[in-house]
Amino acid sequence: MGLEDPRQGGDGAVLWPAAGTDVFDTGRLPLPAPLDEVAAYYWWVTWRRAERVPFRQQVLSHPVTHLTVEAAEGGVLHGLPVPAALVHGLVTRVFTVDLPVAGRVAGIAFHPGGLAALLGRGVGDLTDAVVPAGEVLGDVVGPLTRDVLGEDDDGARRDVVVGHLSGVLAPRLDAVRADEGYRTVREAVALMRHREHVTLAPVAAELHVSVRTLQRLFARYVGASPLWVLRRHRLQDAVAALDAGEGQDLAALAASLGFADHAHLTRAFTAVVGVPPSRYRSG
């Protein structure tokens, strides 16, 4: 379901994180080689809320795809029947889910471009989509789903997913390692995470490629433009600052993140998050 751990903070900004403190149990585990060449980590989330209290989770997520195995009371998540394995593409706005009373998700977060490298094809068709994983990964999904659902411990669940995905990666491993486009995307996104990068030109220059080359590679490997990815990271920085009690001077925050002025930050923030930063800060 694309939820990130609000206590870890590494891959996406959970909006209004304090609201979920009593609802979620979450965490993550590392992945072994060679699967770590395409995937970043295994994560899990379980939840139970009071039956009469609706709960909406929102995440300003990173530009990555996820493979999940999900189960929930009521048998439906994201408009799809569960338990099931799903692939979540990049989410261009805020990832939002209205949670049923209880559920559990085991997930693999791919590196930016990692799923495209694994599949050997572009992933633009997955942007803003949640689809049955079998449509993307094929026959391995049935046994993977069955075996994950058969385990209660998340260490064991991680090992199950690693075993199945490693089988998918094995015939593609040499191609993934030789994939210069994938490597460039990974390096570009790593640079974009640094707060001082507010335009694309310095990123492209550091990688010795053109902005147009980045645009072409990001369309294939990420499913969004490099400028969108850069702006998403700066918006995540804004959310992190506001959550930390910073940002009392929104004009100074806007300038530090590369926005032209306070108004520009407010427009961009409101367009994605749904409320202006001043209201988010007080929420």
Side-chain angles (χ1 to χ4, degrees):
M1 62 192 292
L3 292 177
E4 317 288 355
D5 183 357
R7 297 166 299 178
Q8 309 248 1
D11 286 275
V14 174
L15 303 181
W16 296 282
T21 303
D22 298 327
V23 177
F24 294 105
D25 176 54
T26 64
R28 65 176 64 176
L29 293 169
L31 297 173
L35 189 61
D36 62 349
E37 298 199 28
V38 294
Y41 56 86
Y42 169 90
W43 59 270
W44 77 87
V45 57
T46 62
W47 72 90
R48 178 169 290 278
R49 62 169 176 81
E51 291 193 26
R52 293 180 176 82
V53 181
F55 192 91
R56 170 167 286 185
Q57 179 66 62
Q58 295 181 293
V59 180
L60 190 63
S61 57
H62 272 338
V64 299
T65 54
H66 295 263
L67 167 67
T68 61
V69 178
E70 312 195 20
E73 284 195 22
V76 176
L77 276 173
H78 321 294
L80 296 171
V82 295
L86 306 173
V87 168
H88 295 251
L90 173 147
V91 181
T92 59
R93 297 189 65 81
V94 170
F95 175 84
T96 301
V97 59
D98 292 308
L99 295 177
V101 172
R104 182 176 185 179
V105 179
I108 292 288
F110 290 95
H111 291 303
L115 182 59
L118 175 65
L119 299 175
R121 71 167 180 87
V123 294
D125 60 313
L126 296 175
T127 297
D128 288 320
V130 182
V131 301
E135 296 179 7
V136 178
L137 292 167
D139 293 342
V140 70
V141 169
L144 183 154
T145 306
R146 179 197 65 224
D147 294 346
V148 168
L149 292 172
E151 299 286 353
D152 288 327
D153 175 74
D154 275 292
R157 285 181 155 213
R158 185 269 312 270
D159 294 344
V160 165
V161 178
V162 167
H164 286 290
L165 282 187
S166 294
V168 177
L169 175 61
R172 289 279 308 158
L173 184 57
D174 288 343
V176 168
R177 288 173 170 168
D179 192 333
E180 294 291 342
Y182 174 46
R183 182 177 298 107
T184 298
V185 166
R186 290 278 306 276
E187 292 173 349
V189 173
L191 290 172
M192 290 174 183
R193 287 177 181 263
H194 295 291
R195 193 162 169 169
E196 65 268 20
H197 285 296
V198 296
T199 62
L200 284 179
V203 174
E206 188 160 342
L207 297 175
H208 306 290
V209 298
S210 67
V211 170
R212 178 163 294 190
T213 294
L214 285 184
Q215 292 169 338
R216 175 178 55 81
L217 292 175
F218 273 64
R220 172 179 172 82
Y221 288 89
V222 179
S225 74
L227 183 58
W228 180 92
V229 174
L230 183 65
R231 288 175 173 171
R232 171 55 59 96
H233 283 299
R234 299 295 76 81
L235 284 177
Q236 288 174 326
D237 289 337
V239 169
L242 295 171
D243 284 339
E246 304 169 13
Q248 297 304 312
D249 185 344
L250 289 175
L253 178 62
S256 73
L257 297 175
F259 292 93
D261 51 31
H262 174 190
H264 186 198
L265 170 62
T266 296
R267 286 194 298 272
F269 193 99
T270 304
V272 176
V273 177
V275 297
S278 57
R279 181 175 168 190
Y280 180 85
R281 182 181 59 198
S282 64

